[in-house]
């Protein structure tokens, strides 16, 4: 009888210990902070941060912390990604990115489309393309890719023609027809908006137009068409090739490509940028 009583006591104590351990585990699970993964995201300038702040807040709930690494030119992000100083970047067009990747054998990949920012032709002197006089001076970004893109935009507007063989990167020497005898003033892309006071019209990147308080849909004489020819100018999220299937990075892309982000893009850029995944697919 005494042995039986002792055995019952042991069973009861073990049961209590099991219950207590379970309760402690439950309390710990409820109070312990979830593990957070930090992703170092490269950006050029700060104009895209309002959009990314929207994405960042939603990712935080999934235990993902976005840490911005801001660069002041478009060369540094690819190099920083290649060297492992950042985990991903979201600031370059597909064309620029692929050109760097190929020339540097960088082994970087795009894992998602973000936005496309159409170029615009703006003027303080004239309100329509037909008002541009003969001999008008046009400010055009001097960065080779954007210069070629600007010339193709002017061709789509019917103002000039360029050699077909020049593809998406024509130069001023590739102009074959210029009926208005337009003159071109090459400027740094960041100063194209400021050049408006000294030229008849200026070709301006979307982000710089917004920074200059211009409303692309309202103030531009002409906007670059968003079609198949514009696909190389889609901005992308890029990572190292070895990280292309990283589940955390996939969550970042998924959180970006949402209706919430689309609304943030519209609110921030007023039409200067558009959600690219709706137009060209997710990647």
């Amino acid at each position: 009888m005494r042995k039986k009583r002792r055995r019952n006591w042991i069973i009861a104590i073990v049961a209590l210990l099991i219950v207590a351990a379970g309760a402690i585990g439950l309390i710990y699970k409820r109070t312990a902070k979830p593990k957070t993964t930090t992703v170092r995201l490269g950006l050029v300038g700060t104009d895209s941060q309002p959009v990314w702040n929207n994405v960042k807040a939603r990712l935080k709930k999934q235990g993902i912390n976005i840490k911005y690494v801001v660069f002041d030119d478009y060369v540094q992000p690819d190099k920083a990604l290649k060297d492992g100083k950042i985990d991903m970047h979201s600031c370059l067009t597909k064309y620029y990115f692929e050109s760097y990747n190929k020339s540097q054998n960088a082994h970087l990949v795009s894992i998602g489309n973000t936005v496309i920012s159409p170029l615009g032709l703006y003027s303080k002197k004239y309100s329509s393309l037909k008002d541009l006089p003969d001999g008008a001076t046009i400010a055009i970004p001097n960065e080779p890719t954007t210069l070629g893109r600007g010339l193709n935009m002017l061709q789509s507007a019917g103002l000039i023609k360029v050699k077909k063989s020049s593809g998406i990167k024509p130069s001023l020497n590739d102009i074959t027809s210029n009926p208005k005898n337009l003159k071109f003033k090459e400027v740094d892309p960041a100063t194209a908006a400021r050049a408006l006071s000294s030229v008849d019209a200026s070709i301006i990147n979307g982000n710089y137009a917004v920074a200059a308080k211009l409303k692309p849909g309202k103030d531009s004489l002409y906007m670059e068409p968003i079609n198949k020819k514009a696909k190389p100018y889609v901005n992308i999220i890029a990572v190292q090739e070895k990280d292309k299937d990283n589940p955390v990075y996939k969550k970042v892309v998924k959180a970006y490509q949402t209706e919430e982000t689309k609304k943030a893009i519209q609110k921030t850029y007023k039409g200067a940028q558009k959600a690219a995944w709706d137009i060209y697919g997710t990647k």
Side-chain angles (χ1 to χ4, degrees):
M1 181 68 74
R2 190 175 294 175
K3 286 183 179 180
K4 186 176 181 182
R5 191 177 298 168
R6 184 183 298 172
R7 188 179 63 190
N8 289 341
W9 271 106
I10 292 171
I11 292 171
I13 290 169
V14 170
L16 282 171
L17 288 173
I18 292 172
V19 171
I24 291 169
L26 184 61
I27 292 169
Y28 176 79
K29 190 177 286 186
R30 288 181 176 177
T31 58
K33 292 182 179 179
K35 183 181 177 182
T36 299
T37 302
T38 296
V39 176
R40 299 166 299 170
L41 173 69
L43 302 173
V44 172
T46 59
D47 68 281
S48 64
Q49 284 189 20
V51 175
W52 271 105
N53 285 342
N54 180 286
V55 181
K56 182 177 179 178
R58 286 182 275 120
L59 285 169
K60 188 175 181 180
K61 297 176 183 178
Q62 300 181 49
I64 300 172
N65 174 50
I66 298 294
K67 179 183 178 181
Y68 301 136
V69 180
V70 180
F71 301 99
D72 57 13
D73 66 51
Y74 291 99
V75 176
Q76 296 180 70
D78 274 334
K79 187 177 186 306
L81 183 58
K82 179 185 176 184
D83 294 343
K85 294 180 180 179
I86 57 176
D87 302 306
M88 61 171 56
H89 68 57
S90 175
C91 47
L92 303 179
T93 63
K94 191 183 293 286
Y95 176 80
Y96 187 96
F97 168 76
E98 289 176 350
S99 297
Y100 175 90
N101 211 18
K102 184 177 180 180
S103 66
Q104 300 298 317
N105 193 28
H107 300 290
L108 309 176
V109 297
S110 168
I111 60 171
N113 292 330
T114 57
V115 297
I116 185 165
S117 181
L119 294 179
L121 181 67
Y122 299 83
S123 176
K124 284 188 174 181
K125 298 179 181 178
Y126 307 103
S127 57
S128 70
L129 285 177
K130 65 181 181 180
D131 294 333
L132 283 175
D134 285 355
T137 298
I138 309 293
I140 188 165
N142 60 6
E143 190 275 313
T145 301
T146 311
L147 187 148
R149 185 180 176 187
L151 292 176
N152 278 325
M153 182 192 75
L154 294 178
Q155 178 171 247
S156 71
L159 293 174
I160 63 171
K161 289 183 180 180
V162 297
K163 292 178 183 176
K164 288 184 178 180
S165 59
S166 62
I168 66 172
K169 200 176 176 181
S171 68
L172 293 173
N173 292 328
D174 292 317
I175 296 174
T176 58
S177 176
N178 185 3
K180 280 183 173 285
N181 297 306
L182 299 175
K183 297 179 176 63
F184 296 95
K185 179 181 179 180
E186 295 185 54
V187 298
D188 185 278
T191 66
R194 292 200 295 273
L196 278 170
S197 59
S198 61
V199 296
D200 295 294
S202 182
I203 297 170
I204 307 174
N205 294 68
N207 58 324
Y208 294 128
V210 172
K213 308 300 182 185
L214 294 168
K215 297 178 181 177
K218 181 181 178 182
D219 298 330
S220 61
L221 302 184
Y222 185 78
M223 292 292 289
E224 179 182 31
I226 302 301
N227 52 29
K228 287 183 179 180
K229 291 182 179 180
K231 189 173 182 179
Y233 308 121
V234 169
N235 283 262
I236 50 92
I237 294 173
V239 299
Q240 290 190 9
E241 188 174 28
K242 66 183 178 64
D243 293 324
K244 65 180 181 179
D245 295 317
N246 185 304
V248 172
Y249 300 167
K250 285 185 174 183
K251 286 180 181 179
V252 173
V253 174
K254 187 175 180 180
Y256 192 99
Q257 295 174 341
T258 59
E259 285 297 317
E260 292 97 323
T261 307
K262 197 187 299 184
K263 291 175 183 176
I265 291 168
Q266 178 57 36
K267 182 179 179 180
T268 302
Y269 292 107
K270 315 296 183 187
Q273 294 192 3
K274 300 179 185 296
W277 64 91
D278 268 0
I279 306 167
Y280 299 103
T282 56
K283 63 180 180 178

